[in-house]
Amino acid sequence: MTKPRNSIRLVSFRDGQSAFARRLAFKAIEIEELTDIFFFRPCGWIIARGARALGLTPTHLSILRAITGIAGGALLYNESPGLLSFVLLILSEIIDSSDGQLARMTGQITELGRVFDGVGDYVAHGAIYIAIAAGIIHRGGSSSVLVWMLLAGLSNAIQSQMYDYHRTAYVTVMSEGRAPGHDPAKVPSWIRWLYSGYLMMQRWLIGPHARVEAALAVRSVNGRVREEDRVRYRECFYRPVHGWNILGSNTGLYALGVLIWLHRVDLFLIFILLPMNLALIALWFWQRTADRKFLAGL
């Protein structure tokens, strides 16, 4: 299989991961955004190293990420939240990067960890929407903004889920050589019902890609995806998976930074509902086309 291009020109190991990527415990450097590669991941790596020295777990960092995100989001209640809010939100994203890196450093990657990481994201994002809506009402705005808040929160949850799913699926196939899939049995029983519901909604959203997963699994040999299938998978999905990066939290953070500077954080709900949902629809159709192309070639 042709190795992925590495425009940063770094020393690479046999598995295609560069020394730089290994040091930062990347999932797969070829699908990372530049701001993640050169800012969030390096900063997260420092926190992950410190957390490992202190004996903290990825779950501890997920909780810290949620607390920091709530603090930064709460400041958006003000019409002019100022620099502190943006700094806290950036710190929250750095910690969000560090918990995954700590998990890969220490071999503590679990389905439950993914659940906690996702819950931390939803809690932090929820604080942003609630604070913005509450601030608008406090300043005399209509209570109908609560409807827009709920719609924006739901949209963000779907956007984040699709972003996370397609990136994780790509890494599973290309970096780990396995067919994508989740096993609810690996999640503690007390939260298994919630995780099963999460997977059910995800299955509904991904459409034909579920058939791609099934085909890869059936054609696998001793649990490993065939080399020719990996080559074809990359040909079909390398570009779409980069497109899904648009729906990542970085895009929302950039938008919030601009809106904080303009003193118009109230427009963030519109940003999520309009351009981000339009991007979601466009990416869904792009992914669907790539899914059909992959299946047609089997």
Side-chain angles (χ1 to χ4, degrees), residues 247-287:
L247 300 185
S249 56
N250 286 354
T251 304
L253 189 62
Y254 304 150
L256 264 177
V258 172
L259 294 174
I260 288 173
W261 177 60
L262 296 174
H263 306 300
R264 291 301 308 271
V265 292
D266 55 304
L267 296 179
F268 186 67
L269 301 181
I270 296 176
F271 173 77
I272 295 295
L273 287 169
L274 290 181
M276 290 292 277
N277 272 339
L278 288 174
L280 172 65
I281 293 170
L283 288 166
W284 191 86
F285 280 107
W286 187 10
Q287 183 72 39

Side-chain angles (χ1 to χ4, degrees), residues 4-263:
R5 293 179 181 177
N6 189 341
S7 61
I8 310 175
R9 299 178 184 275
L10 300 169
V11 175
S12 296
F13 294 94
R14 289 183 179 179
D15 61 2
Q17 287 278 61
S18 69
F20 179 69
R22 283 193 169 187
R23 184 173 70 87
L24 297 184
F26 278 105
K27 287 183 178 179
I29 197 169
E30 69 166 321
I31 63 171
E32 297 289 347
E33 298 176 78
L34 289 178
T35 49
D36 283 328
I37 293 173
F38 293 109
F39 180 70
F40 287 112
R41 294 292 185 182
C43 292
W45 179 79
I46 294 172
I47 292 177
R49 286 289 300 271
R52 184 173 64 174
L54 293 173
L56 299 179
T57 68
T59 299
H60 290 139
L61 291 182
S62 294
I63 294 172
L64 181 60
R65 179 270 199 273
I67 293 172
T68 309
I70 290 171
L75 293 176
L76 297 176
Y77 177 85
N78 298 318
E79 188 173 12
S80 301
L83 182 62
L84 178 59
S85 174
F86 191 55
V87 169
L88 287 173
L89 292 173
I90 289 177
L91 178 59
S92 177
E93 291 300 318
I94 292 173
I95 298 173
D96 187 38
S97 170
S98 69
D99 61 4
Q101 293 191 70
L102 178 61
R104 288 185 286 279
M105 283 180 185
T106 58
Q108 299 181 62
I109 302 174
T110 63
E111 293 293 334
L112 181 60
R114 286 196 64 207
V115 172
F116 277 125
D117 186 48
V119 169
D121 290 346
Y122 290 140
V123 168
H125 292 158
I128 291 173
Y129 297 121
I130 292 172
I132 291 174
I136 291 174
I137 294 174
H138 176 74
R139 293 188 291 274
S142 171
S143 59
S144 63
V145 72
L146 295 176
V147 175
W148 301 114
M149 176 197 74
L150 292 174
L151 290 175
L154 177 61
S155 295
N156 181 240
I158 293 173
Q159 293 159 11
S160 298
Q161 196 173 54
M162 296 299 285
Y163 161 82
D164 178 69
Y165 168 79
H166 286 292
R167 283 169 53 88
T168 301
Y170 188 90
V171 170
T172 301
V173 175
M174 298 307 303
S175 296
E176 301 174 14
R178 298 185 295 107
H182 304 282
D183 184 3
K186 295 180 179 179
V187 177
S189 57
W190 60 272
I191 201 173
R192 193 172 299 161
W193 64 272
L194 179 62
Y195 186 63
S196 296
Y198 174 87
L199 292 181
M200 186 181 301
M201 184 172 74
Q202 193 174 74
R203 285 289 187 190
W204 179 75
L205 290 171
I206 64 175
H209 204 75
R211 291 162 53 200
V212 172
E213 288 185 5
L216 288 172
V218 168
R219 291 167 55 84
S220 294
V221 179
N222 297 324
R224 304 290 298 178
V225 175
R226 292 183 180 183
E227 193 67 14
E228 62 267 30
D229 288 346
R230 293 180 70 202
V231 171
R232 183 158 186 79
Y233 192 92
R234 186 175 190 275
E235 289 175 352
C236 293
F237 301 117
Y238 176 78
R239 293 185 183 279
V241 79
H242 277 81
W244 286 111
N245 281 342
I246 296 173
L247 300 185
S249 56
N250 286 354
T251 304
L253 189 62
Y254 304 150
L256 264 177
V258 172
L259 294 174
I260 288 173
W261 177 60
L262 296 174
H263 306 300

